[in-house]
C-alpha cells in the first residue's frame, strides 16, 4: 500500500525523520492491513539491527512496544518483539531498561540479575 511504502521510506531516511516515525509507529501501524504489518515488521527489525548502537532509537521504539504487541499475533510477539525487548532489558543505558521494564511481569528481570 502507499502508507506502507511511505512508512518504509521514513524508516530508512535521515535520523530526524526516522526518530519522528518511531515516535508514532504504534499509531501509524494501526492503519495497515495484516500483510502490510508483517512486511513493515521486517523493515522495523532491520532498523533495529542497523541502528543497534543508537540508544535513542532503542528508547523510542521501546516506548511503542506495548502498542506493537497488541497489533500482532502472539507467536509474532513472542518470536520477534519480546526477543528484542529482552535485549533492551539488558541495554547498557538505564533509560532504555526503564522503558522496557513494564513489559515484563513483576520483578522477574531484577531477580534474574541478582542470581
Amino acid at each position: 500500500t502507499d502508507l506502507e511504502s511511505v512508512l518504509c521510506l521514513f524508516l530508512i531516511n535521515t535520523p530526524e525523520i526516522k526518530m519522528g516515525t518511531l515516535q508514532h509507529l504504534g499509531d501509524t501501524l494501526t492503519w495497515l492491513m495484516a500483510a502490510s504489518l508483517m512486511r513493515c515488521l521486517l523493515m522495523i527489525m532491520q532498523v533495529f539491527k542497523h541502528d543497534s548502537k543508537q540508544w535513542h532509537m532503542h528508547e523510542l521504539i521501546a516506548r511503542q512496544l506495548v502498542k506493537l504487541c497488541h497489533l500482532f499475533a502472539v507467536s509474532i510477539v513472542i518470536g520477534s518483539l519480546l526477543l528484542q525487548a529482552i535485549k533492551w532489558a539488558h541495554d547498557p543505558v538505564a533509560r532504555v531498561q526503564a522503558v522496557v521494564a513494564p513489559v515484563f511481569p513483576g520483578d522477574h528481570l531484577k531477580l534474574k540479575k541478582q542470581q
Side-chain angles (χ1 to χ4, degrees), residues 20-88:
T21 303
L22 291 175
Q23 283 179 315
H24 303 286
L25 188 60
D27 294 329
T28 303
L29 291 177
T30 62
W31 293 95
L32 296 176
M33 297 175 75
S36 292
L37 271 175
M38 290 307 302
R39 286 189 295 270
C40 285
L41 180 62
L42 294 173
M43 175 61 92
I44 293 163
M45 298 310 283
Q46 288 301 316
V47 169
F48 294 161
K49 287 180 186 176
H50 183 266
D51 296 329
S52 63
K53 303 279 189 236
Q54 298 180 20
W55 70 269
H56 290 290
M57 297 289 185
H58 295 183
E59 183 182 9
L60 283 173
I61 196 64
R63 290 188 185 283
Q64 300 290 312
L65 195 57
V66 172
K67 285 183 182 180
L68 294 177
C69 287
H70 289 286
L71 292 172
F72 294 96
V74 172
S75 60
I76 295 165
V77 169
I78 292 169
S80 294
L81 296 172
L82 289 182
L83 290 177
Q84 188 63 51
I86 290 168
K87 291 177 185 175
W88 289 330

Side-chain angles (χ1 to χ4, degrees), residues 7-19 21 57:
L7 177 63
C8 289
L9 285 173
F10 283 176
L11 287 172
I12 60 171
N13 215 312
T14 62
E16 295 82 16
I17 292 174
K18 188 184 303 184
M19 289 178 84
T21 303
M57 297 289 185

